[in-house]
Amino acid sequence: MDFTNSSLIIQRLENCSNDPLNNLDNIVNHLKRIIYATQSNLAETLGQESQFWIVTTKLWDWTSERLLKDELSVLPIISELVRLFRNIVAAVLENQNQALNQKWNEITEKILWYSMLKFDDNRFVPILRFGSQALSNVITGNVDAQEIIWSDFMNRTEPNDILSTLVNCEDCVVLTSVLVLVYNCIHENEFRSKTLIESHSGIRFLKLLLERADTLLEDESSQNFELMYALISRLIDFGFFPSLYDSLNHPSIQVPTRHQIILLKILDSGFFSSSLKINETSISLCTRIVKGFNSICPRVIYIMQQAENNSVVMENSHLLYTALVLFLQCIGKLSQEGDREMCECLFKEGIITSSISLLFQADKTLPRMTNATTLVTQTHQQASSDFKFVKRDIVKIIGNMAYENKIVQDEVRELGGIPLILNQCNIDDNNPYIREYAIFALRNLLINNPENQKLVEQLTPIETVQHPALQDVGIMTELGQDGKIKFSIDPSKNGRK
């Protein structure tokens, strides 16, 4: 399209619009020519034509009114109009303001609501894509528009909450557009980030976003997961993790909710993909994670005790286990940063006390499992499988915390943790590499600590524990008066199978 004749093409579009029912195809063709021009970097020139806005807005009003009355003959025009909206406002501030003044965004939103109801009709998919992209483009880089539009979005009731509706749309292109819209609004604005986690609209959006993220966790290379991770990371960077985590709580549920667990998964994923910056924000995050861990430890211990007594496990135990593993992994990452301030935060919040208490119960309830283990009761075997990796991760945290830290070393000794760590120096299929982590932890507990070294020197065996693999072949162990282990053979078993 030659824009020396821009007035001519706009005039032709206006002529057709005066009798739209008899000129549907002509209108579509004229709109396509204009859209082609916007793709040729002529959007700014077109936006300077006042008649353009008058004619197209009139067409918007006419077609949207008929579409909402189920007159689907106008669908081709609607599709081109939303595509034109998307293109004309992209990175052109004057056009964004003009479109907003003409209420194109409000018209588009009505069309999007209608299109969501018709999602199974493939004709509406392009409209949803173009429309959601247009809503994103119209405020991108426009600070004044973002303030107005964002305030409106964050004060919607559920039936009118367009952001939550779009983030729940199954189409990945629509999802990308709404994620870009929200990210652009909060990226450099702490206040708008705060409203996202404090408003009812914002929490609705975030819960749906987390549900979508959960389905994408196995494909972290996807663009939408990267956008979701970037969005959540921005909230964390602003120091809002504690508030966000708490806002996802449910008063009637005494364990972490599904949404809190997904948030922990994203946090855990981020910990293992990049190094953590130690600052006021990360210390705040550390505090909330340890408090979350401490809050579930009594419930976990109770479940283990129930399993030990062959009792029925409480409801939602799977959520509790998942949260426990995620907390332990996050704390493990925090404890291995080697930062003194971070370790002081972990210690101050009671991580050693909680960890030792949990490990004591786990050591009683969860037997070591190896290929040779055959005589463990089914209940204990199930409990051990249900709490895989827990003992290993606790030992890892204690080892990290004890590194060149005498306060932690002494605390572990005073809580009776050193014999407990010694007891983990065995192979356990449900806790891979626990023996290596236990040896590492003992090294860090003993080095430069005479009191701990003396305690280990004074430890003596008090009894032997029969190993199932040896029992199977008739070999029994006992502790002699000299403190040495002795073997005896059960003659009833000849060793043959």
Side-chain angles (χ1 to χ4, degrees):
M1 176 177 166
D2 181 1
F3 262 76
T4 57
N5 296 318
S6 59
S7 298
L8 178 60
I9 192 64
I10 294 171
Q11 182 61 53
R12 289 176 179 173
L13 179 62
E14 181 177 14
N15 293 338
C16 293
S17 301
N18 290 331
D19 186 16
L21 287 176
N22 294 318
N23 288 284
L24 295 177
D25 291 340
N26 289 333
I27 291 173
V28 170
N29 290 332
H30 289 315
L31 286 172
K32 285 183 176 179
R33 292 183 65 191
I34 295 174
I35 291 168
Y36 177 78
T38 63
Q39 295 172 335
S40 303
N41 299 319
L42 293 172
E44 187 172 353
T45 305
L46 180 62
Q48 295 172 359
E49 295 276 351
S50 59
Q51 195 63 18
F52 163 78
W53 296 102
I54 295 172
V55 173
T56 49
T57 301
K58 178 182 176 182
L59 197 55
W60 266 112
D61 292 336
W62 182 84
T63 53
S64 61
E65 181 181 345
R66 273 149 186 79
L67 180 67
L68 298 180
K69 293 179 180 179
D70 292 328
E71 295 182 20
L72 301 186
S73 61
V74 298
L75 267 182
I77 298 178
I78 290 288
S79 182
E80 299 304 327
L81 282 172
V82 289
R83 189 154 68 107
L84 173 61
F85 181 16
R86 179 197 65 177
N87 290 8
I88 199 75
V89 298
V92 183
L93 183 63
E94 293 79 6
N95 290 356
Q96 292 172 345
N97 291 332
Q98 277 282 10
L100 291 170
N101 289 337
Q102 300 295 333
K103 302 188 183 303
W104 283 20
N105 58 313
E106 295 179 15
I107 298 171
T108 299
E109 190 173 324
K110 291 178 183 178
I111 291 170
L112 288 173
W113 280 113
Y114 183 87
S115 299
M116 286 296 296
L117 298 175
K118 305 284 188 179
F119 185 75
D120 290 338
D121 187 335
N122 290 334
R123 292 177 296 175
F124 287 89
V125 173
I127 295 174
L128 281 166
R129 291 177 175 179
F130 298 149
S132 57
Q133 290 168 342
L135 291 183
S136 178
N137 286 354
V138 76
I139 61 174
T140 298
N142 191 328
V143 177
D144 293 336
Q146 287 178 2
E147 290 293 336
I148 297 170
I149 299 296
W150 186 255
S151 177
D152 174 39
F153 283 154
M154 291 297 102
N155 287 283
R156 299 285 186 96
T157 59
E158 187 169 359
N160 300 312
D161 191 349
I162 189 67
L163 290 185
S164 295
T165 300
L166 292 177
V167 81
N168 205 31
C169 179
E170 295 179 7
D171 187 79
C172 61
V173 176
V174 174
L175 177 59
T176 299
S177 300
V178 71
L179 290 174
V180 170
L181 186 158
V182 174
Y183 181 78
N184 285 339
C185 284
I186 71 166
H187 175 56
E188 296 180 345
N189 193 293
E190 184 174 347
F191 176 77
R192 289 199 286 268
S193 296
K194 188 176 182 181
T195 60
L196 182 62
I197 63 171
E198 291 184 348
S199 66
H200 293 300
S201 297
I203 294 302
R204 263 195 309 271
F205 172 84
L206 288 169
K207 285 182 176 180
L208 290 168
L209 179 145
L210 288 169
E211 290 172 13
R212 296 298 302 273
D214 196 31
T215 65
L216 297 173
L217 275 168
E218 299 302 320
D219 184 18
E220 296 181 9
S221 62
S222 75
Q223 181 185 16
N224 282 333
F225 181 83
E226 290 179 0
L227 284 168
M228 291 174 183
Y229 176 74
L231 196 155
I232 296 296
S233 295
R234 202 69 191 112
L235 296 176
I236 294 174
D237 290 342
F238 279 128
F240 292 138
F241 176 83
S243 299
L244 175 56
Y245 184 83
D246 292 340
S247 69
L248 299 172
N249 189 31
H250 196 291
S252 66
I253 300 178
Q254 298 302 310
V255 300
T257 65
R258 179 191 173 201
H259 296 106
Q260 288 176 317
I261 287 173
I262 298 170
L263 178 62
L264 289 174
K265 287 180 181 179
I266 294 175
L267 181 67
D268 180 52
S269 174
F271 275 172
F272 286 94
S273 64
S274 61
S275 58
L276 183 68
K277 296 179 181 178
I278 308 301
N279 51 34
E280 184 178 345
T281 295
S282 60
I283 295 299
S284 171
L285 182 150
C286 171
T287 300
R288 187 62 190 86
I289 290 175
V290 179
K291 285 182 176 179
F293 172 72
N294 291 342
S295 71
I296 68 172
C297 274
R299 296 189 184 92
V300 174
I301 290 172
Y302 174 75
I303 288 179
M304 289 182 179
Q305 291 171 340
Q306 293 293 95
E308 188 179 5
N309 298 325
N310 297 328
S311 301
V312 177
V313 177
M314 66 182 286
E315 186 180 2
N316 292 323
S317 60
H318 65 289
L319 291 176
L320 197 60
Y321 166 71
T322 304
L324 174 65
V325 170
L326 289 167
F327 276 130
L328 286 172
Q329 288 178 350
C330 289
I331 295 169
K333 175 65 175 177
L334 292 170
S335 66
Q336 74 182 35
E337 289 295 320
D339 180 81
R340 181 64 60 181
E341 188 177 1
M342 183 66 73
C343 286
E344 287 178 359
C345 172
L346 291 167
F347 183 79
K348 180 181 177 182
E349 294 300 328
I351 187 62
I352 297 300
T353 302
S354 296
S355 296
I356 293 293
S357 298
L358 184 57
L359 187 57
F360 263 118
Q361 186 59 51
D363 198 47
K364 290 174 59 179
T365 306
L366 312 179
R368 290 188 296 111
M369 302 297 296
T370 67
N371 290 333
T373 304
T374 59
L375 299 182
V376 178
T377 67
Q378 183 176 358
T379 301
H380 282 69
Q381 190 173 20
Q382 182 62 44
S384 187
S385 298
D386 287 345
F387 287 93
K388 283 184 177 181
F389 317 123
V390 169
K391 290 196 288 187
R392 178 199 66 186
D393 289 347
I394 295 173
V395 171
K396 177 182 177 182
I397 290 169
I398 294 172
N400 289 342
M401 291 289 295
Y403 179 70
E404 296 183 352
N405 191 322
K406 192 172 186 303
I407 295 176
V408 173
Q409 294 170 350
D410 292 343
E411 175 90 349
V412 174
R413 182 187 70 249
E414 291 166 6
L415 292 171
I418 291 180
L420 188 61
I421 298 295
L422 277 166
N423 204 33
Q424 310 311 312
C425 295
N426 293 287
I427 294 174
D428 183 350
D429 291 344
N430 283 335
N431 291 273
Y433 303 107
I434 189 173
R435 180 173 63 179
E436 289 75 14
Y437 280 117
I439 293 171
F440 172 76
L442 281 170
R443 180 261 184 200
N444 288 348
L445 287 165
L446 299 180
I447 194 168
N448 297 325
N449 193 309
E451 295 91 342
N452 287 359
Q453 294 172 12
K454 183 178 179 180
L455 174 65
V456 173
E457 289 173 356
Q458 293 175 343
L459 290 175
T460 57
I462 57 175
E463 65 175 342
T464 61
V465 177
Q466 305 304 324
H467 194 288
L470 296 179
Q471 286 182 310
D472 279 351
V473 294
I475 300 176
M476 308 297 289
T477 59
E478 60 183 32
L479 191 63
Q481 293 183 351
D482 58 358
K484 295 182 180 180
I485 295 175
K486 297 182 179 180
F487 296 92
S488 61
I489 305 298
D490 183 351
S492 65
K493 296 187 178 183
N494 59 15
R496 293 181 181 178
K497 294 290 184 179

